Amino acid sequence: MFELEGVSKRFGVTQALHPVELRLPPGRTTVLLGPSGCGKSTVLRLMNGLLPPDTGRVLFDGQPLPSEEAAVLRVRQRMGYTLQGGGLFPHLTAGQNVALMASYLRWPHARIRARLEALVELTRFPAEALERFPAQLSGGQRQRVGLMRALMLEPDVLLLDEPLGALDPMVRSELQVDLRAIFARLGKTVVLVTHDLAEAAFLGQHVVLLRDGRVVQQGTLAELETRP
Ligand code: ADP
Ligand code: ADP
C-alpha cells in the first residue's frame, strides 16, 4: 500500500528523516514507534503528501504520489488522517466536524446521516454528543470524533498521529481496546504513530522503530524483541 524509496526530509538544519526504505504490509496495522522528535509525524505527512520529500519517492497503491496539488488532494481523499488531539474545528459541532468533507463534496443529506450513524456505532460515540462542540467533549470523545472524521469518506487507509496521546490512563486503555477492535473490523491498512511501547505492542502488527530520523528496526514486535 505504502512504499518509501530513499525518502528524506530536512527542515532548515534539522535532518528530520535520513533516506529511508519502507514497505508497509496492506490490510494491517503498522506502528511508527520512537521517542519524541525522531521523525514519526514527518513520515506520516510524507505518506499523505502533506510534505513533499527532498529525495526519493512515496508510492501509494503502486503509484508515486502526484506533485500537483489537485491530484494529491484526490489521492488524499482515499486516506483518513487524524492529528494529535483530534484536530477538530472548535466552532463546528462534533457532527459538523465529521460531515465536513462529505458536505463539501455535496453528498446527499440522507447519505451523510446514514454514514454518521454507522460511524457512531463503530466508534461507540454517544449519538447525542454529535450536537456538542469540541470544547464540550472529553478528550477520549474528541479522539473518537477525529477518528469518525478520518473514516467519513470510507478511505482505503487510516493515518493516525498519536491517537491516544494526552489522554488519562483509564480513557486511554479503553480507547486502545476499542481501536484494536475497530482496526480488526475494518481490515484496512492503518499507520499509527506512538512513542509508547505498550501501545505499539497492543495495536501494531508491524512495527517500525525510528531514532534520530532513521529506521533502526522493523518487523513484527516478536521479531524486534528477538534481535539484539
Ligand atoms: P516526532 O513525530 O517523532 O515527534 P517529527 O517528525 O515531528 O518527530 O519531527 C522530527 C524533527 O523535525 C524534529 O526535530 C522536529 O523539531 C523537526 N520538525 C518537524 N517539523 C518541522 C517543521 N515544520 N519545521 C521545522 N522543524 C520541524
Ligand atoms: P486473533 O489474534 O485470535 O486472530 P484478533 O481479534 O486479534 O484475534 O484478530 C482478528 C482479526 O483481526 C485477524 O484477522 C487479525 O489479523 C485482525 N487484527 C487484529 N488486530 C488488528 C489490528 N491492530 N489491526 C488490524 N487488524 C487486526
Side-chain angles (χ1 to χ4, degrees):
M1 209 70 182
F2 277 108
E3 291 165 75
L4 273 62
E5 299 178 344
V7 171
S8 69
K9 189 71 194 177
R10 169 191 286 275
F11 297 105
V13 296
T14 308
Q15 191 73 38
L17 195 66
H18 294 272
V20 63
E21 306 292 326
L22 271 185
R23 180 186 288 257
L24 304 192
R28 303 179 74 75
T29 300
T30 294
V31 169
L32 306 178
L33 174 68
S36 176
C38 71
K40 306 182 294 296
S41 301
T42 299
V43 172
L44 212 60
R45 288 157 68 215
L46 287 160
M47 282 178 177
N48 69 8
L50 280 177
L51 281 179
D54 293 343
T55 65
R57 56 182 198 161
V58 177
L59 300 168
F60 174 62
D61 228 358
Q63 302 293 320
L65 283 187
S67 45
E68 321 80 64
E69 191 56 25
V72 84
L73 275 174
R74 257 195 313 281
V75 177
R76 204 178 293 142
Q77 279 178 13
R78 297 174 53 203
M79 307 180 187
Y81 177 57
T82 68
L83 296 166
Q84 189 166 354
L88 305 177
F89 294 109
H91 59 291
L92 297 180
T93 65
Q96 287 168 340
N97 265 285
V98 177
L100 189 62
M101 272 308 287
S103 307
Y104 175 73
L105 294 171
R106 299 184 185 284
W107 280 24
H109 286 299
R111 185 178 176 198
I112 292 180
R113 203 166 313 122
R115 185 73 187 133
L116 272 174
E117 271 171 32
L119 289 170
V120 158
E121 190 262 328
L122 177 75
T123 60
R124 302 203 311 131
F125 183 81
E128 67 279 6
L130 286 174
E131 307 300 324
R132 294 192 200 132
F133 290 91
Q136 301 168 309
L137 300 173
S138 69
Q141 286 175 338
R142 276 198 289 275
Q143 284 296 347
R144 284 174 209 266
V145 175
L147 185 65
M148 286 194 281
R149 188 173 64 177
L151 286 168
M152 184 71 194
L153 301 184
E154 307 202 43
D156 298 324
V157 304
L158 206 46
L159 306 176
L160 308 177
D161 201 341
E162 296 268 10
L164 300 163
L167 296 176
D168 68 61
M170 284 300 289
V171 175
R172 192 185 171 97
S173 66
E174 189 186 329
L175 186 57
Q176 185 168 287
V177 168
D178 283 355
L179 278 182
R180 188 172 146 126
I182 291 167
F183 297 163
R185 195 163 141 195
L186 292 173
K188 291 183 197 284
T189 304
V190 178
V191 188
L192 183 148
V193 163
T194 183
H195 57 265
D196 185 293
L197 179 63
E199 192 177 309
F202 186 73
L203 292 171
Q205 297 175 308
H206 185 81
V207 177
V208 175
L209 194 59
L210 288 137
R211 195 181 303 142
D212 298 332
R214 296 177 202 275
V215 172
V216 285
Q217 283 189 359
Q218 58 174 310
T220 64
L221 204 70
E223 283 168 353
L224 301 196
E225 277 165 353
T226 54
R227 264 182 250 156

PDB file of all heavy atoms in Angstrom, residues 27-30 179-188 190 202-205, ligand 2:
ATOM      1  N   GLY A  27      -3.532  -3.887   4.588  1.00  0.00           N
ATOM      2  CA  GLY A  27      -4.583  -4.509   5.395  1.00  0.00           C
ATOM      3  C   GLY A  27      -4.175  -4.792   6.824  1.00  0.00           C
ATOM      4  O   GLY A  27      -4.862  -5.511   7.532  1.00  0.00           O
ATOM      5  N   ARG A  28      -3.063  -4.226   7.246  1.00  0.00           N
ATOM      6  CA  ARG A  28      -2.590  -4.469   8.608  1.00  0.00           C
ATOM      7  C   ARG A  28      -2.265  -3.150   9.301  1.00  0.00           C
ATOM      8  O   ARG A  28      -2.211  -2.102   8.657  1.00  0.00           O
ATOM      9  CB  ARG A  28      -1.358  -5.371   8.585  1.00  0.00           C
ATOM     10  CG  ARG A  28      -1.634  -6.694   7.881  1.00  0.00           C
ATOM     11  CD  ARG A  28      -0.432  -7.601   7.818  1.00  0.00           C
ATOM     12  NE  ARG A  28      -0.106  -8.237   9.081  1.00  0.00           N
ATOM     13  CZ  ARG A  28      -0.769  -9.251   9.615  1.00  0.00           C
ATOM     14  NH1 ARG A  28      -1.842  -9.722   9.022  1.00  0.00           N
ATOM     15  NH2 ARG A  28      -0.385  -9.792  10.742  1.00  0.00           N
ATOM     16  N   THR A  29      -2.041  -3.229  10.594  1.00  0.00           N
ATOM     17  CA  THR A  29      -1.709  -2.026  11.353  1.00  0.00           C
ATOM     18  C   THR A  29      -0.201  -1.931  11.539  1.00  0.00           C
ATOM     19  O   THR A  29       0.406  -2.820  12.122  1.00  0.00           O
ATOM     20  CB  THR A  29      -2.390  -2.048  12.730  1.00  0.00           C
ATOM     21  OG1 THR A  29      -3.802  -2.104  12.538  1.00  0.00           O
ATOM     22  CG2 THR A  29      -2.054  -0.797  13.517  1.00  0.00           C
ATOM     23  N   THR A  30       0.372  -0.855  11.001  1.00  0.00           N
ATOM     24  CA  THR A  30       1.782  -0.576  11.208  1.00  0.00           C
ATOM     25  C   THR A  30       1.897   0.541  12.229  1.00  0.00           C
ATOM     26  O   THR A  30       1.203   1.552  12.134  1.00  0.00           O
ATOM     27  CB  THR A  30       2.455  -0.137   9.898  1.00  0.00           C
ATOM     28  OG1 THR A  30       2.459  -1.229   8.982  1.00  0.00           O
ATOM     29  CG2 THR A  30       3.895   0.314  10.137  1.00  0.00           C
ATOM     30  N   LEU A 179      -9.913   0.779  19.670  1.00  0.00           N
ATOM     31  CA  LEU A 179      -9.183   0.965  18.411  1.00  0.00           C
ATOM     32  C   LEU A 179      -8.798  -0.375  17.805  1.00  0.00           C
ATOM     33  O   LEU A 179      -8.951  -0.611  16.613  1.00  0.00           O
ATOM     34  CB  LEU A 179      -7.911   1.804  18.630  1.00  0.00           C
ATOM     35  CG  LEU A 179      -8.068   3.321  18.680  1.00  0.00           C
ATOM     36  CD1 LEU A 179      -6.701   3.970  18.859  1.00  0.00           C
ATOM     37  CD2 LEU A 179      -8.743   3.864  17.428  1.00  0.00           C
ATOM     38  N   ARG A 180      -8.338  -1.270  18.659  1.00  0.00           N
ATOM     39  CA  ARG A 180      -7.924  -2.580  18.164  1.00  0.00           C
ATOM     40  C   ARG A 180      -9.089  -3.319  17.512  1.00  0.00           C
ATOM     41  O   ARG A 180      -8.953  -3.910  16.440  1.00  0.00           O
ATOM     42  CB  ARG A 180      -7.339  -3.402  19.305  1.00  0.00           C
ATOM     43  CG  ARG A 180      -6.722  -4.696  18.861  1.00  0.00           C
ATOM     44  CD  ARG A 180      -6.015  -5.335  20.031  1.00  0.00           C
ATOM     45  NE  ARG A 180      -6.126  -6.770  19.925  1.00  0.00           N
ATOM     46  CZ  ARG A 180      -5.085  -7.583  19.945  1.00  0.00           C
ATOM     47  NH1 ARG A 180      -3.870  -7.107  20.079  1.00  0.00           N
ATOM     48  NH2 ARG A 180      -5.253  -8.869  19.848  1.00  0.00           N
ATOM     49  N   ALA A 181     -10.243  -3.242  18.171  1.00  0.00           N
ATOM     50  CA  ALA A 181     -11.432  -3.903  17.617  1.00  0.00           C
ATOM     51  C   ALA A 181     -11.858  -3.233  16.306  1.00  0.00           C
ATOM     52  O   ALA A 181     -12.245  -3.909  15.345  1.00  0.00           O
ATOM     53  CB  ALA A 181     -12.568  -3.845  18.636  1.00  0.00           C
ATOM     54  N   ILE A 182     -11.770  -1.908  16.269  1.00  0.00           N
ATOM     55  CA  ILE A 182     -12.160  -1.164  15.059  1.00  0.00           C
ATOM     56  C   ILE A 182     -11.232  -1.527  13.899  1.00  0.00           C
ATOM     57  O   ILE A 182     -11.685  -1.805  12.786  1.00  0.00           O
ATOM     58  CB  ILE A 182     -12.135   0.358  15.332  1.00  0.00           C
ATOM     59  CG1 ILE A 182     -13.269   0.740  16.291  1.00  0.00           C
ATOM     60  CG2 ILE A 182     -12.237   1.158  14.034  1.00  0.00           C
ATOM     61  CD1 ILE A 182     -13.152   2.154  16.880  1.00  0.00           C
ATOM     62  N   PHE A 183      -9.931  -1.549  14.161  1.00  0.00           N
ATOM     63  CA  PHE A 183      -8.969  -1.884  13.093  1.00  0.00           C
ATOM     64  C   PHE A 183      -9.244  -3.288  12.558  1.00  0.00           C
ATOM     65  O   PHE A 183      -9.212  -3.523  11.348  1.00  0.00           O
ATOM     66  CB  PHE A 183      -7.521  -1.813  13.596  1.00  0.00           C
ATOM     67  CG  PHE A 183      -7.073  -0.447  14.047  1.00  0.00           C
ATOM     68  CD1 PHE A 183      -5.940  -0.309  14.840  1.00  0.00           C
ATOM     69  CD2 PHE A 183      -7.775   0.696  13.688  1.00  0.00           C
ATOM     70  CE1 PHE A 183      -5.517   0.947  15.269  1.00  0.00           C
ATOM     71  CE2 PHE A 183      -7.364   1.956  14.110  1.00  0.00           C
ATOM     72  CZ  PHE A 183      -6.234   2.072  14.912  1.00  0.00           C
ATOM     73  N   ALA A 184      -9.502  -4.228  13.480  1.00  0.00           N
ATOM     74  CA  ALA A 184      -9.749  -5.605  13.053  1.00  0.00           C
ATOM     75  C   ALA A 184     -11.020  -5.671  12.208  1.00  0.00           C
ATOM     76  O   ALA A 184     -11.075  -6.380  11.205  1.00  0.00           O
ATOM     77  CB  ALA A 184      -9.864  -6.518  14.275  1.00  0.00           C
ATOM     78  N   ARG A 185     -12.036  -4.902  12.617  1.00  0.00           N
ATOM     79  CA  ARG A 185     -13.299  -4.929  11.899  1.00  0.00           C
ATOM     80  C   ARG A 185     -13.154  -4.290  10.518  1.00  0.00           C
ATOM     81  O   ARG A 185     -13.726  -4.770   9.537  1.00  0.00           O
ATOM     82  CB  ARG A 185     -14.348  -4.189  12.730  1.00  0.00           C
ATOM     83  CG  ARG A 185     -15.757  -4.440  12.277  1.00  0.00           C
ATOM     84  CD  ARG A 185     -16.730  -4.039  13.377  1.00  0.00           C
ATOM     85  NE  ARG A 185     -17.899  -3.408  12.794  1.00  0.00           N
ATOM     86  CZ  ARG A 185     -18.785  -2.706  13.490  1.00  0.00           C
ATOM     87  NH1 ARG A 185     -18.616  -2.537  14.789  1.00  0.00           N
ATOM     88  NH2 ARG A 185     -19.823  -2.171  12.903  1.00  0.00           N
ATOM     89  N   LEU A 186     -12.392  -3.202  10.432  1.00  0.00           N
ATOM     90  CA  LEU A 186     -12.233  -2.506   9.149  1.00  0.00           C
ATOM     91  C   LEU A 186     -11.351  -3.294   8.184  1.00  0.00           C
ATOM     92  O   LEU A 186     -11.582  -3.290   6.982  1.00  0.00           O
ATOM     93  CB  LEU A 186     -11.603  -1.125   9.370  1.00  0.00           C
ATOM     94  CG  LEU A 186     -12.444  -0.078  10.100  1.00  0.00           C
ATOM     95  CD1 LEU A 186     -11.594   1.156  10.386  1.00  0.00           C
ATOM     96  CD2 LEU A 186     -13.667   0.303   9.280  1.00  0.00           C
ATOM     97  N   GLY A 187     -10.313  -3.925   8.734  1.00  0.00           N
ATOM     98  CA  GLY A 187      -9.382  -4.656   7.878  1.00  0.00           C
ATOM     99  C   GLY A 187      -8.613  -3.777   6.904  1.00  0.00           C
ATOM    100  O   GLY A 187      -8.138  -4.234   5.875  1.00  0.00           O
ATOM    101  N   LYS A 188      -8.498  -2.484   7.229  1.00  0.00           N
ATOM    102  CA  LYS A 188      -7.790  -1.556   6.339  1.00  0.00           C
ATOM    103  C   LYS A 188      -6.324  -1.445   6.741  1.00  0.00           C
ATOM    104  O   LYS A 188      -5.929  -1.849   7.832  1.00  0.00           O
ATOM    105  CB  LYS A 188      -8.414  -0.154   6.437  1.00  0.00           C
ATOM    106  CG  LYS A 188      -9.813  -0.038   5.865  1.00  0.00           C
ATOM    107  CD  LYS A 188     -10.271   1.409   5.954  1.00  0.00           C
ATOM    108  CE  LYS A 188     -11.771   1.538   5.792  1.00  0.00           C
ATOM    109  NZ  LYS A 188     -12.255   1.403   4.427  1.00  0.00           N
ATOM    110  N   VAL A 190      -3.582   0.500   8.310  1.00  0.00           N
ATOM    111  CA  VAL A 190      -3.541   1.566   9.310  1.00  0.00           C
ATOM    112  C   VAL A 190      -2.088   1.890   9.607  1.00  0.00           C
ATOM    113  O   VAL A 190      -1.261   0.981   9.721  1.00  0.00           O
ATOM    114  CB  VAL A 190      -4.246   1.125  10.624  1.00  0.00           C
ATOM    115  CG1 VAL A 190      -4.152   2.211  11.689  1.00  0.00           C
ATOM    116  CG2 VAL A 190      -5.708   0.751  10.372  1.00  0.00           C
ATOM    117  N   PHE A 202       0.382  -3.566  21.672  1.00  0.00           N
ATOM    118  CA  PHE A 202      -1.034  -3.931  21.690  1.00  0.00           C
ATOM    119  C   PHE A 202      -1.680  -3.750  20.320  1.00  0.00           C
ATOM    120  O   PHE A 202      -2.510  -4.563  19.903  1.00  0.00           O
ATOM    121  CB  PHE A 202      -1.769  -3.096  22.740  1.00  0.00           C
ATOM    122  CG  PHE A 202      -3.198  -3.494  22.938  1.00  0.00           C
ATOM    123  CD1 PHE A 202      -3.520  -4.680  23.594  1.00  0.00           C
ATOM    124  CD2 PHE A 202      -4.227  -2.700  22.471  1.00  0.00           C
ATOM    125  CE1 PHE A 202      -4.843  -5.059  23.777  1.00  0.00           C
ATOM    126  CE2 PHE A 202      -5.553  -3.067  22.643  1.00  0.00           C
ATOM    127  CZ  PHE A 202      -5.854  -4.256  23.308  1.00  0.00           C
ATOM    128  N   LEU A 203      -1.299  -2.695  19.615  1.00  0.00           N
ATOM    129  CA  LEU A 203      -2.001  -2.337  18.373  1.00  0.00           C
ATOM    130  C   LEU A 203      -1.247  -2.715  17.097  1.00  0.00           C
ATOM    131  O   LEU A 203      -1.849  -2.867  16.049  1.00  0.00           O
ATOM    132  CB  LEU A 203      -2.286  -0.835  18.341  1.00  0.00           C
ATOM    133  CG  LEU A 203      -3.295  -0.306  19.355  1.00  0.00           C
ATOM    134  CD1 LEU A 203      -3.309   1.217  19.347  1.00  0.00           C
ATOM    135  CD2 LEU A 203      -4.683  -0.850  19.058  1.00  0.00           C
ATOM    136  N   GLY A 204       0.060  -2.848  17.184  1.00  0.00           N
ATOM    137  CA  GLY A 204       0.865  -2.985  15.972  1.00  0.00           C
ATOM    138  C   GLY A 204       1.013  -4.420  15.525  1.00  0.00           C
ATOM    139  O   GLY A 204       1.379  -5.285  16.306  1.00  0.00           O
ATOM    140  N   GLN A 205       0.712  -4.650  14.239  1.00  0.00           N
ATOM    141  CA  GLN A 205       1.011  -5.959  13.655  1.00  0.00           C
ATOM    142  C   GLN A 205       2.373  -5.907  12.969  1.00  0.00           C
ATOM    143  O   GLN A 205       3.010  -6.932  12.745  1.00  0.00           O
ATOM    144  CB  GLN A 205      -0.097  -6.335  12.669  1.00  0.00           C
ATOM    145  CG  GLN A 205      -1.443  -6.469  13.374  1.00  0.00           C
ATOM    146  CD  GLN A 205      -2.572  -6.710  12.421  1.00  0.00           C
ATOM    147  OE1 GLN A 205      -2.755  -5.973  11.456  1.00  0.00           O
ATOM    148  NE2 GLN A 205      -3.340  -7.753  12.662  1.00  0.00           N
TER     149      GLN A 205
HETATM  150  P1  ADP B   2      -6.610 -13.329  16.833  1.00  0.00           P
HETATM  151  O1  ADP B   2      -5.374 -12.673  17.423  1.00  0.00           O
HETATM  152  O2  ADP B   2      -7.087 -14.509  17.600  1.00  0.00           O
HETATM  153  O3  ADP B   2      -6.509 -13.546  15.349  1.00  0.00           O
HETATM  154  P2  ADP B   2      -7.828 -10.735  16.865  1.00  0.00           P
HETATM  155  O4  ADP B   2      -9.150 -10.255  17.379  1.00  0.00           O
HETATM  156  O5  ADP B   2      -6.587 -10.153  17.411  1.00  0.00           O
HETATM  157  O6  ADP B   2      -7.823 -12.301  17.030  1.00  0.00           O
HETATM  158  O7  ADP B   2      -7.823 -10.537  15.273  1.00  0.00           O
HETATM  159  C1  ADP B   2      -8.889 -10.888  14.462  1.00  0.00           C
HETATM  160  C2  ADP B   2      -8.574 -10.412  13.052  1.00  0.00           C
HETATM  161  O8  ADP B   2      -8.349  -9.015  13.077  1.00  0.00           O
HETATM  162  C3  ADP B   2      -7.317 -11.040  12.481  1.00  0.00           C
HETATM  163  O9  ADP B   2      -7.504 -11.262  11.101  1.00  0.00           O
HETATM  164  C4  ADP B   2      -6.251 -10.019  12.704  1.00  0.00           C
HETATM  165  O10 ADP B   2      -5.282 -10.063  11.665  1.00  0.00           O
HETATM  166  C5  ADP B   2      -7.038  -8.727  12.645  1.00  0.00           C
HETATM  167  N1  ADP B   2      -6.461  -7.753  13.572  1.00  0.00           N
HETATM  168  C6  ADP B   2      -6.215  -7.909  14.883  1.00  0.00           C
HETATM  169  N2  ADP B   2      -5.659  -6.823  15.427  1.00  0.00           N
HETATM  170  C7  ADP B   2      -5.547  -5.946  14.426  1.00  0.00           C
HETATM  171  C8  ADP B   2      -5.026  -4.632  14.313  1.00  0.00           C
HETATM  172  N3  ADP B   2      -4.478  -3.980  15.366  1.00  0.00           N
HETATM  173  N4  ADP B   2      -5.074  -4.028  13.115  1.00  0.00           N
HETATM  174  C9  ADP B   2      -5.605  -4.667  12.062  1.00  0.00           C
HETATM  175  N5  ADP B   2      -6.108  -5.891  12.076  1.00  0.00           N
HETATM  176  C10 ADP B   2      -6.078  -6.531  13.234  1.00  0.00           C
END
